[in-house]
Amino acid sequence: MAKIAFILLCHKDPKAIIDQAQRLTAAGDYISIHFDARSPRSDYEMIQAALAENGSVTFARKRVKCGWGEWSLVQGTLHAVEAAVEAFPRATHFYMVSGDCMAIKSAEYAHEFLDDDDKDYIESFDFFESDWIKTGIKEDRLIWRHYFNERTQKGLFYAAMNLQKRLGLKRDVPADIQIMIGSQWWCLRRRTIEWILDFTRKRRDVMRFFSTTWIPDETFFQTLVRHLVPHEEIETRTLTFLMFTDYGMPVTFYNDHYDMLLSQDYLFARKISPDAHELKRRLGALYASDTTDFKISNEGRSLFKFLTGRGRIGQRFGERFWESETTLGRDRELLIIVSKKWHIGKRMLQLLRDKTNIPAIDYLFDEEETVLPDLGGIQATIEKRTRHRRALMRMLFDYYKTDRLAIGMDPGDIELMKDFYTDRSKTRLLEIETDYSDEWILGHAMRVGLAGERTPQEALDRLIPTIRQDFFYESDRIRDEGFLDMHILRENGTSEENAEALAKFLTIPEERALELAQTDGFFSD
């Protein structure tokens, strides 16, 4: 049976550290603590005194003053790892955690999970080829020597780097290693840890190199594991569930996140709010329990994106300078068909292609696979289509040699609708109003990743009404805009009522509109 030695780097809240150590060791695991040397000595002594009688707790032999992005974080980790290897000869795995982490599975489940797959768990992506780094410097992290902290000594940090550039002091990466990058929250087997410690003693050149790189906690262990361990024994993922906001800040979890956290395919989660006392109590009890039956749906990130997106309604697409004086054409008509059920929207577009002479294009701003003519690359991706939307539409009008063109849109594309309505061309809008059964909403949720095959029923019971309300909200936003020439086709409307709406939208005789409105199975799912 696996036994875990947790490697805890911390710098504050001694009571929370004591509680965490007691929780993790109560299930038979171990913990090795490095408490930042910048923190008060009295806090460290409080932790030592409280855990003195716990034989499953040890401390790093040397405390290091740690700084974000500095080598000191790796040095402190290595001190804690060395203490754990010496103190806990029965530990089979070493798991890196912070004071903000908590288990979201039971110890029994975690032990079985690690026993079932003899691998190291660590994010490990090629430093130069991957897009893991989203912002800030990249290659400069490695090829220049960094002696100052970019966060606290920004002037000195960049002055030193620029001086090295002027003097041509660029250095090479050690020739026999491939630099990797990834999250610092890893879980490694004992053999791997021993190999790493042996490597640190033998390869002083590599240690000197990493000691002056920037943010080495994202590259040091990631590189050494990939260098020392066969690739088939590495699982390129972390076992700690964490998310980031659009602003690059870690998402904090609170009391009402309990069910969502348990359904994720991870063993721990970060960051737990210090004020989430009920969540901490429940997760602490869970780790000590014998529960092993967890329904893993893994939809946490999709749910977070969906729920936060509902509160961010504003100008998604500002006017671009090359479009400020452009128009689709005064004499042209753009017909926008809006339906949340895309298959019904596409059904209407197909009717236009079959029954009228109006060219009709499916959801070109929502589906990458929408068939479009070759327009020189502007049609290649949704991002390009959206960015150059007016230019794209002008080219489509020209391609089809028409003054009337119909397109499909999702109700969530309201900023695009508003933009087209400001054009000097004539814009009409037809919203197809449909019913949403629980079964359809569930299928939609699974298609877009908001739910999975194993999402608990109680979670679905909360999610389905939320999604339904979101659909209604999107529809309300469209109607609140007061678009001119807006018409509604209703699933619950009569053929005559729908024919009237179609006749006005398409400016066709009501007899032809009635033929379209009476299409068999038009609203079927």
Side-chain angles (χ1 to χ4, degrees):
M1 176 67 75
K3 293 185 76 68
I4 306 170
F6 293 100
I7 308 301
L8 173 62
L9 256 63
C10 48
H11 66 281
K12 62 180 180 179
D13 202 348
K15 185 179 184 308
I17 294 169
I18 294 166
D19 291 343
Q20 186 179 32
Q22 290 173 336
R23 280 194 301 266
L24 294 177
T25 57
D29 292 313
Y30 312 106
I31 191 167
S32 179
I33 301 172
H34 177 275
F35 192 70
D36 196 336
R38 296 182 190 275
S39 301
R41 178 76 187 180
S42 58
D43 286 353
Y44 181 55
E45 291 173 348
M46 180 195 304
I47 298 170
Q48 284 186 308
L51 300 174
E53 302 301 319
N54 191 330
S56 296
V57 178
T58 191
F59 294 86
R61 299 289 182 266
K62 181 180 180 182
R63 295 171 64 205
V64 178
K65 292 182 178 180
C66 295
W68 189 93
E70 297 179 8
W71 169 252
S72 54
L73 287 175
V74 177
Q75 189 65 70
T77 303
L78 287 172
H79 288 329
V81 166
E82 289 167 348
V85 169
E86 180 181 342
F88 310 127
R90 296 180 61 195
T92 61
H93 293 78
F94 295 74
Y95 196 129
M96 180 80 174
V97 294
S98 74
D100 298 321
C101 295
M102 282 200 71
I104 56 175
K105 299 291 186 294
S106 65
E108 186 170 344
Y109 179 96
H111 296 156
E112 290 180 3
F113 181 96
L114 295 174
D115 281 336
D116 288 345
D117 206 359
D118 185 25
K119 290 184 178 180
D120 294 309
Y121 292 87
I122 183 170
E123 282 191 350
S124 182
F125 305 100
D126 186 278
F127 183 92
F128 297 101
E129 298 299 327
S130 72
D131 63 348
W132 200 85
I133 298 175
K134 303 298 183 184
T135 60
I137 62 175
K138 186 172 182 178
E139 185 182 23
D140 288 342
R141 290 190 186 190
L142 306 178
I143 62 176
W144 313 112
R145 298 164 181 84
H146 299 283
Y147 302 103
F148 303 100
N149 190 299
E150 194 266 349
R151 287 194 168 184
T152 60
Q153 303 164 297
K154 187 179 290 286
L156 290 172
F157 180 90
Y158 286 104
M161 187 169 67
N162 291 331
L163 178 62
Q164 293 178 70
K165 290 180 180 180
R166 287 197 297 272
L167 296 177
L169 299 179
K170 176 181 176 180
R171 62 177 178 175
D172 294 325
V173 174
D176 62 328
I177 65 173
Q178 178 185 9
I179 301 296
M180 309 299 287
I181 191 167
S183 167
Q184 64 268 50
W185 311 111
W186 40 255
C187 178
L188 304 176
R189 296 167 297 175
R190 185 180 193 92
R191 183 189 65 177
T192 302
I193 286 292
E194 290 173 345
W195 284 351
I196 290 173
L197 294 179
D198 184 59
F199 184 94
T200 64
R201 290 187 285 266
K202 293 179 178 177
R203 293 294 302 272
R204 305 311 300 175
D205 59 322
V206 175
M207 298 297 284
R208 284 192 299 271
F209 171 80
F210 277 108
S211 68
T212 51
T213 59
W214 181 235
I215 320 184
D217 56 317
E218 293 179 352
T219 54
F220 179 77
F221 288 97
Q222 296 78 359
T223 298
L224 266 58
V225 170
R226 186 64 66 174
H227 181 73
L228 297 169
V229 178
H231 69 89
E232 63 270 14
E233 296 181 24
I234 302 173
E235 195 72 30
T236 308
R237 58 163 294 193
T238 175
L239 295 180
T240 298
F241 179 64
L242 65 162
M243 298 190 294
F244 292 89
T245 68
D246 291 347
Y247 306 102
M249 301 300 292
V251 172
T252 300
F253 299 113
Y254 297 92
N255 292 334
D256 57 351
H257 285 118
Y258 179 81
D259 292 327
M260 185 272 285
L261 290 175
L262 264 60
S263 68
Q264 305 312 302
D265 189 20
Y266 297 85
L267 302 183
F268 276 71
R270 171 177 201 278
K271 313 171 51 163
I272 307 298
S273 169
D275 297 321
H277 302 298
E278 177 64 14
L279 177 61
K280 289 183 176 182
R281 183 193 66 77
R282 296 178 73 184
L283 292 178
L286 175 70
Y287 192 70
S289 74
D290 58 0
T291 303
T292 57
D293 182 22
F294 293 91
K295 294 180 173 62
I296 306 298
S297 55
N298 224 28
E299 76 282 6
R301 289 188 174 88
S302 299
L303 274 174
F304 176 77
K305 183 179 180 181
F306 166 67
L307 294 172
T308 54
R310 296 176 74 225
R312 295 183 188 149
I313 299 164
Q315 284 290 97
R316 292 173 57 204
F317 306 112
E319 189 174 53
R320 274 68 174 185
F321 71 90
W322 62 82
E323 295 184 333
S324 60
E325 297 300 325
T326 63
T327 178
L328 304 187
R330 288 185 182 276
D331 299 325
R332 286 173 167 170
E333 289 186 20
L334 178 63
L335 307 176
I336 301 175
I337 294 174
V338 176
S339 176
K340 195 65 185 182
K341 292 186 174 181
W342 290 5
H343 63 285
I344 293 180
K346 292 178 181 180
R347 200 171 287 157
M348 174 55 70
L349 292 163
Q350 187 61 48
L351 282 174
L352 296 188
R353 287 191 285 265
D354 294 341
K355 305 292 186 179
T356 74
N357 60 353
I358 303 173
I361 302 170
D362 293 347
Y363 289 66
L364 71 167
F365 295 109
D366 301 288
E367 278 192 311
E368 203 88 59
E369 299 77 17
T370 298
V371 177
L372 292 170
D374 186 352
L375 301 174
I378 193 174
Q379 83 293 341
T381 64
I382 289 178
E383 181 184 7
K384 285 186 177 181
R385 298 172 202 168
T386 303
R387 187 186 311 134
H388 308 292
R389 53 197 174 278
R390 293 200 189 184
L392 171 68
M393 296 310 301
R394 288 198 310 275
M395 295 173 75
L396 287 169
F397 274 106
D398 291 339
Y399 178 85
Y400 288 107
K401 296 182 175 61
T402 184
D403 288 330
R404 305 186 78 200
L405 182 67
I407 62 173
M409 278 195 188
D410 186 90
D413 296 336
I414 189 167
E415 300 302 331
L416 284 173
M417 300 173 208
K418 288 163 64 175
D419 184 64
F420 284 129
Y421 260 93
T422 63
D423 191 82
R424 283 172 282 183
S425 62
K426 180 69 173 178
T427 303
R428 302 177 191 274
L429 190 147
L430 177 73
E431 182 184 7
I432 303 178
E433 183 184 272
T434 58
D435 295 332
Y436 303 107
S437 67
D438 287 357
E439 291 75 18
W440 190 88
I441 292 177
L442 176 58
H444 171 81
M446 296 180 72
R447 284 191 295 275
V448 300
L450 295 177
E453 293 289 347
R454 304 185 67 182
T455 300
Q457 186 59 46
E458 56 269 24
L460 296 177
D461 291 341
R462 292 192 301 270
L463 182 62
I464 288 174
T466 301
I467 295 175
R468 178 180 282 109
Q469 186 58 41
D470 195 61
F471 292 165
F472 293 153
Y473 177 68
E474 288 179 338
S475 183
D476 286 343
R477 287 191 67 205
I478 294 173
R479 299 178 194 189
D480 289 344
E481 286 297 326
F483 293 131
L484 296 176
D485 276 325
M486 176 184 169
H487 309 278
I488 301 175
L489 200 68
R490 291 183 168 90
E491 182 171 0
N492 296 322
T494 66
S495 296
E496 290 73 21
E497 290 170 340
N498 287 338
E500 182 180 355
L502 283 171
K504 292 177 180 178
F505 174 65
L506 298 171
T507 60
I508 60 175
E510 286 204 17
E511 304 79 55
R512 294 187 61 198
L514 185 61
E515 180 185 346
L516 297 177
Q518 291 177 332
T519 300
D520 289 339
F522 179 79
F523 286 100
S524 65
D525 288 333

